Amino acid sequence: MALQPYERYAEIYDRIGQRQFGQRLADAIMADPAIGMSDGARIADLACGTGAAALRFAAAGFDVTGVDRSGQMLDRAKQSALAEGVRVEWLLQDLRDLVLSHPVDFATCVYDSLNYVLREQELARIFERVAQSLRPGGKFIFDLNSKRRLSEGWADETFVAADEPDLFVVYRSTWDEESSCSPLQLTAFLRRDDGHTWERFDEDHVERGYLITEIETLLRAAGFTSIDIREFHARTGDLTSQGTERSNRLVFIASLEP
């Protein structure tokens, strides 16, 4: 029986290197003068997972709140925060019902988390909740897998994510043109403590591909007046190129009126 997304994946997520993307994008965001994360800024890192970006922001001295709907992922984030000696406010919330304890200057959402939102109406609601959580002039920065990447790069793909003496993980993804969605099945085998037997678990993940124009329309309806679209290259950390439908990874920088 397949588990809910990240129900068991949380325990191996960092181990197979999934933190690196969030850390690199967080570094790129902080280094970008056009984004302008100044000292003392308050940041809400949404769908924060195991805290890759949130902990990076906190280590740089920002006031950070991490929000996720997976208790398993947040447990890992809290453990990492203790180990790294940084302070983050952690909230267990669904982004569709986002309520922060105070307005923030920046909201971030990294590693294609919003591709998991499969209905435009729900994405519109999230954008509205984020806009309501930002101070005037605040910015919402998030990345998405482009529709081209999901439809071409993830179609009928099998990828081995980990092959270690005590862990084997494989992804199998497809593409459905009618729904613009890419279902992905994660299968993991973990060697038990006895060293001889293995435990298997499966999780189903689904991402939707959105066109740039669809995202822009929803952002403007939520009150964002300025939208900058970049292409992000995770290997180099480059966030300077203009994003297009041919990009693999799109980063949206949406701003409210001051």
Side-chain angles (χ1 to χ4, degrees):
M1 179 179 178
L3 304 168
Q4 291 297 313
Y6 300 102
E7 187 174 342
R8 289 291 307 276
Y9 192 20
E11 64 191 78
I12 62 171
Y13 188 84
D14 291 344
R15 181 177 170 184
I16 63 176
Q18 297 291 64
R19 291 177 65 86
Q20 296 175 8
F21 179 92
Q23 292 171 335
R24 289 172 182 170
L25 183 51
D27 290 343
I29 290 170
M30 289 188 289
D32 193 316
I35 293 175
M37 282 190 171
S38 56
D39 292 344
R42 286 181 166 178
I43 303 171
D45 187 39
L46 310 178
C48 65
T50 60
L55 295 175
R56 212 69 159 190
F57 294 140
F62 295 107
D63 183 337
V64 182
T65 299
V67 184
D68 204 282
R69 70 176 183 178
S70 168
Q72 293 89 348
M73 295 289 271
L74 280 181
D75 285 344
R76 298 283 168 171
K78 293 173 184 177
Q79 292 171 17
S80 294
L82 287 173
E84 296 177 24
V86 296
R87 185 177 180 275
V88 176
E89 177 190 22
W90 304 108
L91 298 178
L92 180 64
Q93 290 186 14
D94 189 307
L95 297 187
R96 293 168 295 186
D97 302 310
L98 178 68
V99 178
L100 300 181
S101 58
H102 48 69
V104 295
D105 303 291
F106 299 92
T108 58
C109 188
V110 306
Y111 213 175
D112 48 87
S113 296
L114 292 178
N115 284 111
Y116 278 80
V117 183
L118 307 183
R119 297 180 180 180
E120 284 192 18
Q121 298 94 323
E122 294 184 344
L123 192 58
R125 181 174 176 178
I126 290 172
F127 288 169
E128 291 168 1
R129 302 298 291 186
V130 173
Q132 293 166 7
S133 302
L134 288 168
R135 289 174 172 168
K139 295 179 180 178
F140 180 28
I141 305 122
F142 61 94
D143 72 274
L144 290 171
N145 276 321
S146 68
K147 185 172 182 178
R148 186 200 68 82
R149 186 184 190 193
L150 292 178
S151 62
E152 297 180 13
W154 286 29
D156 299 317
E157 181 182 62
T158 298
F159 174 73
V160 176
D163 186 0
E164 301 175 8
D166 59 347
L167 175 66
F168 183 82
V169 183
V170 62
Y171 304 140
R172 289 167 290 186
S173 58
T174 57
W175 171 256
D176 180 70
E177 184 63 36
E178 184 175 353
S179 64
S180 293
C181 289
S182 176
L184 179 147
Q185 184 182 53
L186 178 155
T187 299
F189 295 88
L190 294 89
R191 190 185 296 274
R192 295 185 186 273
D193 292 339
D194 62 16
H196 302 290
T197 58
W198 291 77
E199 176 187 6
R200 169 179 173 164
F201 70 82
D202 298 275
E203 288 188 4
D204 290 331
H205 295 245
V206 183
E207 294 198 13
R208 175 172 171 177
Y210 289 94
L211 295 173
I212 289 174
T213 53
E214 293 172 330
I215 298 298
E216 287 180 312
T217 298
L218 296 177
L219 285 169
R220 294 193 186 282
F224 293 96
T225 55
S226 175
I227 303 170
D228 186 14
I229 304 165
R230 310 276 189 86
E231 180 176 22
F232 182 61
H233 300 274
R235 290 183 180 179
T236 63
D238 179 53
L239 188 57
T240 59
S241 304
Q242 180 69 29
T244 73
E245 293 293 359
R246 297 302 300 170
S247 303
N248 282 332
R249 177 78 56 171
L250 295 165
V251 174
F252 292 79
I253 305 167
S255 305
L256 296 176
E257 286 284 0

